[in-house]
């Protein structure tokens, strides 16, 4: 008689309490162990089964064999002069503290040497009142924005829900100068990838990130940024999820210019994004934000500012202006301060609530995809804090 197939380990970061209890029960452990394990992970920051001292030795062994804790390896850790910290995680080889069995990746491939680049980035951005995690949803990016490092190599694969949550957990449990976990107050899906193109994994991650038994982040402090997939924006509005903030990465105020810098704009008009954004607001009560990266001499002129004001007023949205962080090999420049302030003033004069987002971590390649791009290119730039 053939042996029963071995199920791959369950990711603790992608599982609900019931799912974890089911898996533990299936291997002979009491269901109540799931609550204990989740408390160790999310309340104490412990991911080593051997350190979970209220479990029996047999149960700790079963846990290590059948549940995966961290599924990636930290390959770079950079600390900027302004306190921003960026991690580069390689998902191709499981970390030593996780199960010895490789987790399946979202596209069905398993961890292990593949010849590809299975690395993603996540960033901690601290201020006096906030500690914001910026996390990735995909390895690479399918959108291919002309100015962005994330999509230079295209899309490699989707991340699983567990790998998305793991990034937030890693950032939350980093230690400060006093040896205390830094914690999280806010989270943005603004790292590598298009979140709405990995809809199932991202929405499951939102469930875990906002759950009381897990990360317990407030939905109002969570933002998902999309280049604009109207059907998926509407689907998100209808999903049974806490109402998070939706941000549209617009980056151009008219379709012609947007098609020049965002290839996916060939298939989606700004009018469609406005309609989908209105639907999201009507269903959730959450105002939509427009994200707009200012590219020197490309989209930062007075005419574009006036057009952007018209779009923002149609959508009743806030606008975040972001000065471009240069990427080696790309032909785009960072605008000067006068151009940024002029652009902001024109929007304000037209009644738009607009903010210029502070540039953070410029000395550690903190913009989306930059650190991964440097590692692929074999850069020897000093890495600040390196693990």
């Amino acid at each position: 008689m053939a042996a029963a197939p071995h199920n791959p380990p369950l990711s603790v970061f992608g599982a609900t309490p019931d799912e974890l209890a089911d898996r533990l029960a299936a291997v002979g452990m009491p269901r109540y162990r799931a609550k204990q394990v989740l408390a160790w992970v999310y309340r104490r920051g412990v991911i080593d089964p051997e350190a979970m001292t209220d479990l029996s030795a047999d149960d700790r062994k079963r846990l290590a064999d059948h549940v995966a804790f961290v599924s990636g390896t930290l390959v770079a850790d950079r600390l900027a002069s302004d306190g921003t910290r960026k991690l580069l995680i390689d998902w191709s080889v499981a970390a030593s503290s996780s199960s010895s069995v490789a987790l399946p990746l979202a596209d069905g491939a398993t961890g292990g040497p593949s010849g590809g680049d299975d690395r993603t980035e996540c960033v901690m951005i601290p201020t006096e009142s906030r500690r914001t995690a910026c996390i990735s949803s995909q390895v690479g990016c399918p959108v291919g924005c002309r100015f962005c490092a994330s999509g230079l190599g295209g899309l490699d694969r989707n991340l699983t829900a567990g790998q998305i949550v793991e990034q937030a957990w890693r950032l939350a449990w980093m230690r400060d100068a006093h040896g205390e976990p830094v914690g999280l107050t806010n989270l943005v899906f603004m790292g590598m990838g298009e979140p709405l193109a990995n809809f199932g994994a991202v929405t499951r991650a939102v469930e875990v990130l906002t759950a009381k038994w897990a990360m317990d982040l407030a939905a109002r402090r969570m933002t998902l940024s999309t280049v604009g997939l109207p059907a998926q924006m509407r689907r998100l509005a209808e999903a049974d999820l806490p109402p998070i903030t939706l941000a549209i990465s617009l980056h151009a105020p008219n379709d012609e210019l947007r098609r020049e810098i965002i290839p996916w704009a060939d298939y989606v008009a700004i009018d469609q994004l406005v309609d989908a954004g209105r639907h999201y607001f009507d269903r959730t009560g959450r105002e939509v934000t427009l994200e707009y990266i200012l590219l020197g001499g490309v989209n930062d002129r007075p005419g574009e500012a006036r057009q952007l004001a018209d779009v923002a007023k149609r959508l009743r949205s806030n606008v975040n202006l972001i000065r471009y962080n240069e990427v080696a090999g790309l032909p785009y420049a960072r605008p000067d301060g006068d151009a940024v302030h002029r652009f902001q003033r024109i929007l304000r004069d037209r009644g738009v609530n607009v903010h210029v987002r502070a540039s953070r971590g410029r000395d550690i390649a903190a913009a989306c995809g930059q650190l991964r791009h440097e590692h692929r290119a074999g850069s020897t730039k000093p890495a600040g804090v390196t693990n």
Side-chain angles (χ1 to χ4, degrees):
M1 184 170 124
H6 179 76
N7 290 326
L10 179 71
S11 167
V12 74
F13 290 116
T16 66
D18 284 344
E19 289 167 347
L20 181 58
D22 288 345
R23 175 57 64 91
L24 298 186
V27 298
M29 294 174 64
R31 291 181 62 85
Y32 66 80
R33 291 293 195 207
K35 183 177 180 180
Q36 292 175 284
V37 171
L38 292 172
W40 278 106
V41 171
Y42 290 113
R43 299 293 166 259
R44 304 182 191 181
V46 173
I47 54 172
D48 180 1
E50 285 301 313
M52 298 180 184
T53 52
D54 55 356
L55 277 64
S56 69
D58 285 346
D59 281 351
R60 294 197 297 269
K61 176 65 166 61
R62 291 189 187 101
L63 191 63
D65 287 342
H66 297 282
V67 175
F69 289 85
V70 293
S71 60
T73 299
L74 184 64
V75 295
D77 180 347
R78 288 186 174 179
L79 180 65
S81 56
D82 62 9
T84 300
R85 193 166 174 182
K86 188 166 196 173
L87 309 182
L88 183 66
I89 302 170
D90 190 339
W91 305 104
S92 65
V93 180
S96 59
S97 57
S98 68
S99 170
S100 60
V101 184
L103 272 176
L105 298 170
D107 61 358
T110 56
S114 63
D117 187 347
D118 291 328
R119 293 174 291 185
T120 58
E121 306 167 349
C122 55
V123 184
M124 166 64 76
I125 307 169
T127 66
E128 289 186 5
S129 59
R130 296 183 179 184
R131 294 170 306 284
T132 301
C134 179
I135 61 178
S136 298
S137 56
Q138 296 178 307
V139 180
C141 183
V143 179
C145 296
R146 308 294 187 203
F147 51 84
C148 182
S150 289
L152 286 176
L155 175 67
D156 289 292
R157 58 173 51 96
N158 288 330
L159 291 176
T160 65
Q163 290 165 338
I164 294 170
V165 175
E166 181 181 324
Q167 296 170 73
W169 182 90
R170 283 177 179 267
L171 293 171
W173 285 95
M174 291 189 305
R175 303 290 168 165
D176 63 18
H178 305 288
E180 297 296 322
V182 298
L184 293 182
T185 62
N186 296 67
L187 183 141
V188 294
F189 289 92
M190 293 184 183
M192 295 173 61
E194 165 52 56
L196 292 185
N198 188 13
F199 191 90
V202 167
T203 52
R204 164 54 71 95
V206 170
E207 292 177 14
V208 176
L209 291 164
T210 56
K212 294 290 185 183
W213 50 265
M215 298 293 290
D216 195 20
L217 289 170
R220 63 188 176 84
R221 293 178 174 268
M222 190 177 298
T223 299
L224 184 152
S225 182
T226 174
V227 76
L229 301 177
Q232 300 293 66
M233 291 165 65
R234 292 174 181 274
R235 185 180 173 192
L236 184 66
E238 305 297 331
D240 184 19
L241 289 173
I244 63 177
T245 298
L246 181 66
I248 301 173
S249 297
L250 196 67
H251 307 324
N254 61 73
D255 289 324
E256 182 180 5
L257 179 56
R258 199 164 191 265
R259 285 192 293 267
E260 290 179 12
I261 60 176
I262 303 176
W264 278 19
D266 284 340
Y267 311 104
V268 179
I270 290 175
D271 285 348
Q272 293 174 281
L273 299 181
V274 170
D275 288 344
R278 283 176 174 168
H279 179 75
Y280 190 83
F281 173 76
D282 290 342
R283 295 294 294 176
T284 67
R286 300 289 293 164
E287 289 185 343
V288 174
T289 298
L290 294 179
E291 302 281 343
Y292 194 95
I293 290 179
L294 291 164
L295 306 168
V298 175
N299 65 353
D300 64 340
R301 295 160 295 200
E304 279 97 30
R306 290 188 286 270
Q307 291 176 333
L308 179 58
D310 291 341
V311 175
K313 291 170 74 174
R314 288 169 58 200
L315 192 51
R316 292 178 54 193
S317 64
N318 304 309
V319 173
N320 282 335
L321 301 177
I322 307 127
R323 292 179 68 183
Y324 180 61
N325 278 345
E326 307 92 327
V327 177
L330 297 184
Y332 296 97
R334 184 175 172 89
D336 62 39
D338 289 342
V340 174
H341 293 137
R342 180 181 64 223
F343 200 95
Q344 180 185 35
R345 185 171 60 251
I346 291 171
L347 289 166
R348 283 184 172 168
D349 288 347
R350 283 161 173 75
V352 175
N353 183 23
V354 55
H355 301 278
V356 177
R357 223 162 62 194
S359 295
R360 302 295 302 271
R362 279 175 52 77
D363 53 336
I364 59 163
C368 293
Q370 281 188 303
L371 182 55
R372 179 178 186 250
H373 178 55
E374 283 187 6
H375 273 246
R376 293 179 78 173
S379 170
T380 57
K381 181 177 179 178
V385 177
T386 303
N387 289 347

